[in-house]
Amino acid sequence: QFGIYSAAASKYAFLIDTSGNTSLNGGTLTSGAITSSGLVTADELSVTNDSTFNGGLDINGDATFGDNNKAIFGAGSDLQIYHDGGHSYISDQGTGNLHIIASNETYIANADNSEYKARFITDGAVELYYDAAKKFETTSTGVDISGDLNAVDNIVLATAMYHEGDTNTFLSFGS
């Protein structure tokens, strides 16, 4: 084996073992190289302790996290994305607001993306769905509701109530 040993830290800062694996402060570099400019290339890099990367980190593939392992963003762990084995979470722990930004439309859909739960259309409607059927939609003139509207408390109308359509519509007051 060949390495650079740090007596102060009582460990190798850099080590190549008899199998050709390269260790960097407790991590392992398998089938890779360290260039004369200090660039590390690897087919696989295993790091066992916390690591700090100064500059960008490009990932050309999946980043896989185990259950209860979090992708954490922000100096104060402000945004956390994780799965606890039963549920998935996007958790905003910071002092500001959570903004979801899209250039056209934002959808919330079921797991196989076959039906909407909600749609948020830029410069347009907000739509809410029940079992793939649109039930609530904002429009340029107000709100459209498909199905019954059940109110537990008062419904207050600012001006008037009117009906368009068939003659079988009725209002019922009381129980």
Side-chain angles (χ1 to χ4, degrees):
Q1 69 184 13
F2 168 79
I4 300 171
Y5 185 78
S6 169
S10 300
K11 66 179 179 180
Y12 281 94
F14 171 79
L15 176 68
I16 301 174
D17 66 19
T18 56
S19 299
N21 294 324
T22 306
S23 295
L24 306 167
N25 287 328
T28 304
L29 173 65
T30 306
S31 181
I34 300 175
T35 67
S36 59
S37 65
L39 177 66
V40 176
T41 61
D43 294 327
E44 182 178 326
L45 175 63
S46 173
V47 180
T48 56
N49 294 315
D50 292 346
S51 298
T52 300
F53 296 91
N54 295 315
L57 174 63
D58 294 329
I59 299 174
N60 295 311
D62 294 338
T64 303
F65 298 85
D67 289 342
N68 295 307
N69 292 326
K70 299 177 181 180
I72 299 175
F73 303 89
S77 301
D78 301 322
L79 176 63
Q80 302 175 11
I81 302 173
Y82 62 99
H83 181 77
D84 68 3
H87 303 283
S88 299
Y89 299 89
I90 299 173
S91 178
D92 178 13
Q93 300 291 316
T95 57
N97 298 323
L98 175 65
H99 295 256
I100 299 173
I101 302 169
S103 60
N104 292 315
E105 296 186 25
T106 301
Y107 305 124
I108 299 174
N110 64 349
D112 66 0
N113 201 29
S114 64
E115 55 183 64
Y116 295 122
K117 295 180 178 190
R119 290 178 63 198
F120 305 88
I121 302 165
T122 301
D123 298 327
V126 171
E127 301 172 351
L128 301 177
Y129 293 76
Y130 178 84
D131 195 19
K134 187 185 335 177
K135 295 296 180 178
F136 182 93
E137 176 181 13
T138 60
T139 68
S140 62
T141 58
V143 174
D144 288 343
I145 297 173
S146 173
D148 295 340
L149 171 63
N150 296 312
V152 175
D153 274 331
N154 299 327
I155 296 177
V156 178
L157 302 173
T159 54
M161 180 170 56
Y162 67 95
H163 167 71
E164 293 178 352
D166 63 50
T167 58
N168 298 326
T169 303
F170 63 92
L171 291 175
S172 175
F173 299 94
S175 46

